[in-house]
Amino acid sequence: MEPATAVETIQREMTVFARRARASAGRLHPELSLVSYTLLGHLEERDGCRATDLAAHYALDKSTVSRQVAALERAGLVERRQDPEDHRVQVLLLTEAGRHILGQVTVSRRAAVGERLADWSQEDLERFAGYLVRYNAWPRSG
């Protein structure tokens, strides 16, 4: 396969992957979009952060993050607290309900991905995982 053809195939398949991920997120938890799920996961991983940090990490517009965070707050999944180190700053944290929903959706997502990959060899799984990590680690991703 020619390099240009391979890149085109990769781009097309990544688009299909993203569309399926967005669609499955709605099925796993109707109120939790893929973006919301991703933001909750980041907040859990970092044990909270500022909205501007979320926007920078995911290369999202601040207004997009603001709308998503507002919806998560209204749903009782996220709360704002004053940063103990800088009282001018608000930190976003998961609520217990947020941790619970995130846990449920994570289990469901892992099961769905596991089902699709069930007949892959361990070597293929590790290679695929390595390629995804390598691709996503590129500093100018977006």
Side-chain angles (χ1 to χ4, degrees):
M1 184 180 291
E2 293 291 318
T5 304
V7 169
E8 288 171 12
T9 300
I10 290 167
Q11 191 279 325
R12 182 183 63 246
E13 294 302 317
M14 288 174 64
T15 300
V16 170
F17 177 83
R19 286 184 182 144
R20 284 189 176 151
R22 277 193 298 274
S24 70
R27 286 191 304 273
L28 294 172
H29 194 279
E31 295 85 39
L32 201 59
S33 71
L34 183 60
V35 172
S36 295
Y37 172 77
T38 304
L39 297 180
L40 289 177
H42 189 79
L43 290 175
E44 180 183 56
E45 202 176 279
R46 301 271 193 243
D47 198 25
C49 70
R50 299 174 304 162
T52 55
D53 296 332
L54 286 172
H57 181 78
Y58 289 108
L60 293 170
D61 186 80
K62 290 177 188 176
S63 64
T64 300
V65 171
S66 180
R67 283 191 305 275
Q68 292 290 328
V69 167
L72 292 170
E73 284 182 293
R74 282 191 304 275
L77 305 178
V78 169
E79 64 184 357
R80 293 178 190 265
R81 290 196 190 150
Q82 197 172 51
D83 186 331
E85 295 174 18
D86 184 348
H87 296 291
R88 298 169 297 167
V89 174
Q90 297 258 316
V91 176
L92 301 168
L93 298 162
L94 289 181
T95 62
E96 283 306 310
R99 287 184 193 287
H100 180 73
I101 293 295
L102 179 63
Q104 284 181 323
V105 174
T106 297
V107 167
S108 297
R109 291 180 64 80
R110 283 187 184 146
V113 171
E115 188 176 321
R116 284 193 90 122
L117 301 174
D119 62 347
W120 288 35
S121 71
Q122 185 63 30
E123 182 180 329
D124 284 347
L125 290 172
E126 289 173 9
R127 187 177 303 126
F128 187 51
Y131 290 152
L132 288 172
V133 167
R134 181 176 165 191
Y135 179 83
N136 286 323
W138 195 57
R140 294 189 315 236
S141 64

